[in-house]
Amino acid sequence: MRLLAPIVSLFGAIAITVASPALATRAGTPATDPAFGRCLGSLRGKAATAGVPGAAFDHYTATLAPDPSVLELLDAQPEFTTPIWDYLAALVDERRITQGREMLTRHAGTLAQVEAEYGVDPATVVAVWGVESDYGQVFGKRPLLVSLATLSCAGRRQAFFQGELFALLKLLHAGDLSAEGLTGSWAGAFGHTQFMPSTYARIAVDFDGDGRRDLVASIPDALASTAHYLKRAGWRSGEPWGHEVRIPAGFDTSLAGRKNKRTLADWKARGIVRIDGVPVPASDTRAALLLPAGKEGPAWLALRNYDAVFSYNAAESYALAIVLLADQLRNAPPQQAAWPTDDPGLGRDQRQQLQRLLLARGHDIGEADGLIGSLTRRAIVVEQQRLGIKPADGRAGKKILDALQSEARPAHVNESNTVPDSSDTER
Ligand code: CA
């Protein structure tokens, strides 16, 4: 759950807030920052009103120093737009599908209990976990109390973040969480489920029975809390999230959109058919038509459970990533229609391959970590220009990967000891 959701436009481009290297200033200005100290003093009384005893407030805030870099992230504008197929290629890639299937097996017992209690199927719960924290591998690196205290004392959303800070302090004071090493996103989402503290306070459950709701250290607590969230958001047990469909030629695409609900009978009458050939029932079940890349791209009829997933982060691309990943985890047919591009997006392993090829060509882009930052983009622009790939936009797609890969291979392999010509890789 992120505070600033990626927004999908009607044109299928999504805006993602990205930290540029210039924004990555160091945390920890002097602890004696007088304005910050005065702010904490004033928050102490408000916190008491919100249910945080003064002694607890002092205990957890005494050594905090503000981190101005989170304020820059709060106001950061999207640096570039990413097509939805790039976003989905990275979130629903082979690695996340393989690991998700492993998690389904490893936690089968817990997931069955979770389904019995909340009515949400294992594949959906695991898909949320995979998208939120990569199955507990990515929690966010920023000290949580520092970020929330900073955002509570400066910036344009102080009242909101004060509420989150007080919610976190109450969770710490109640003993649900340990403050030591507690990190999260810059905006305060944390743990396996990336809940904000107020959501955590409202939704988190103790499922392993140790008396603590711990979504950082307990996988059973995290899986059950995810299912609890979806149940509270209106999840209907046993129903599908939706179906991939085909729209007829000349279809009025202004009818699309998550909020434009019509009955399945109505969609059927307008010529919409399921892509797997199963007839759309002429029922009064309400559904929305999703065309995230316009009429030339894939189409889905989304039912009530799609909305439950959507509410987790309020972004269409995000919800699609979860339901499409869940389909893969339960071995349902993958998306059939192609995205309207001749240059498909890359999964994380392919992104790392691309970065290794860029490094081999002498581009100083740091580690091949699969994250496409401004250094990688700049290197891609140079290579696109050199290879005549248009537009030279710095996008990490299949075209540039294929071009660099075919260059890296020897042109003629006639002998067993032929090695790639590396004369042009060290510039
Ligand atoms: Ca617990």
Side-chain angles (χ1 to χ4, degrees):
M1 181 161 305
R2 284 156 205 101
L3 177 68
L4 301 179
I7 309 298
V8 177
S9 80
L10 291 173
F11 308 102
I14 82 168
I16 296 178
T17 305
V18 174
S20 75
L23 294 178
T25 48
R26 281 190 171 266
T29 52
T32 51
D33 185 314
F36 187 66
R38 278 195 300 277
C39 173
L40 287 181
S42 73
L43 290 183
R44 193 176 187 273
K46 285 189 190 176
T49 309
V52 183
F57 185 89
D58 296 341
H59 175 72
Y60 291 114
T61 63
T63 60
L64 294 185
D67 174 7
S69 69
V70 296
L71 298 169
E72 294 169 36
L73 290 167
L74 182 65
D75 291 321
Q77 296 299 311
E79 197 177 71
F80 55 88
T81 56
T82 303
I84 187 168
W85 46 87
D86 279 352
Y87 179 83
L88 291 172
L91 279 176
V92 191
D93 65 3
E94 281 307 317
R95 198 196 309 171
R96 212 176 311 263
I97 293 166
T98 305
Q99 290 180 340
R101 288 177 180 157
E102 285 167 11
M103 294 301 157
L104 280 176
T105 306
R106 190 180 306 168
H107 301 288
T110 301
L111 289 161
Q113 289 173 342
V114 165
E115 182 169 27
E117 177 80 23
Y118 300 103
V120 185
D121 65 289
T124 300
V125 171
V126 169
V128 172
W129 186 25
V131 169
E132 285 295 338
S133 66
D134 202 15
Y135 311 112
Q137 296 171 102
V138 180
F139 281 177
K141 289 179 183 164
R142 289 169 179 270
L144 199 55
L145 280 165
V146 169
S147 300
L148 288 176
T150 305
L151 293 161
S152 293
C153 287
R156 59 189 168 77
R157 299 196 63 190
Q158 292 174 40
F160 169 79
F161 286 109
Q162 286 170 16
E164 296 300 327
L165 175 64
F166 301 158
L168 177 61
L169 290 170
K170 281 166 81 171
L171 290 167
L172 292 167
H173 181 56
D176 283 314
L177 283 163
S178 167
E180 199 180 329
L182 188 59
T183 60
S185 76
W186 67 267
F190 68 104
H192 285 280
T193 56
Q194 294 286 292
F195 282 172
M196 292 294 288
S198 61
T199 306
Y200 192 122
R202 207 161 42 83
I203 299 291
V205 293
D206 169 27
F207 205 67
D208 61 13
D210 70 349
R212 305 165 72 227
R213 304 183 295 161
D214 191 343
L215 306 188
V216 175
S218 167
I219 289 173
D221 286 8
L223 297 177
S225 298
T226 295
H228 185 217
Y229 186 99
L230 292 172
K231 184 184 180 185
R232 292 270 290 264
W235 184 269
R236 288 182 189 161
S237 188
E239 288 187 12
W241 69 267
H243 300 287
E244 188 174 355
V245 296
R246 192 177 287 123
I247 58 174
F251 187 83
D252 175 8
T253 55
S254 73
L255 298 174
R258 193 184 61 88
K259 291 183 173 171
N260 295 335
K261 300 278 201 297
R262 293 173 176 275
T263 64
L264 288 176
D266 188 303
W267 291 121
K268 183 187 178 80
R270 290 170 190 274
I272 294 210
V273 294
R274 267 174 64 165
I275 210 154
D276 59 9
V278 177
V280 173
S283 76
D284 50 15
T285 298
R286 293 171 73 73
L289 177 68
L290 306 180
L291 298 174
K295 66 181 165 62
E296 305 300 333
W300 288 275
L301 279 179
L303 305 171
R304 185 68 192 82
N305 284 349
Y306 177 84
D307 288 328
V309 171
F310 179 89
S311 75
Y312 214 99
N313 198 22
E316 187 166 319
S317 50
Y318 171 91
L320 266 178
I322 288 174
V323 296
L324 294 176
L325 176 59
D327 280 349
Q328 296 266 351
L329 297 185
R330 62 171 73 94
N331 293 307
Q335 175 187 328
Q336 302 292 302
W339 294 106
T341 175
D342 63 351
D343 189 9
L346 303 178
R348 290 167 296 167
D349 292 343
Q350 294 170 302
R351 289 177 180 200
Q352 281 176 294
Q353 269 177 2
L354 173 59
Q355 288 176 318
R356 282 194 288 270
L357 289 161
L358 292 169
L359 284 165
R361 288 199 59 80
H363 294 284
D364 184 14
I365 59 167
E367 230 181 296
D369 56 7
L371 302 172
I372 306 299
S374 49
L375 289 175
T376 300
R377 284 177 183 276
R378 247 172 266 150
I380 292 172
V381 168
V382 171
E383 293 301 319
Q384 286 171 324
Q385 286 168 343
R386 182 179 65 81
L387 293 159
I389 295 174
K390 289 175 185 169
D393 55 2
R395 181 177 159 259
K398 191 161 185 304
K399 273 187 184 173
I400 184 68
L401 174 62
D402 286 350
L404 290 176
Q405 261 174 344
S406 63
E407 262 193 344
R409 284 187 209 111
H412 303 286
V413 183
N414 296 326
E415 299 165 57
S416 59
N417 64 348
T418 302
V419 293
D421 175 5
S422 61
S423 62
D424 64 346
T425 60
E426 300 288 332
R427 281 176 196 156

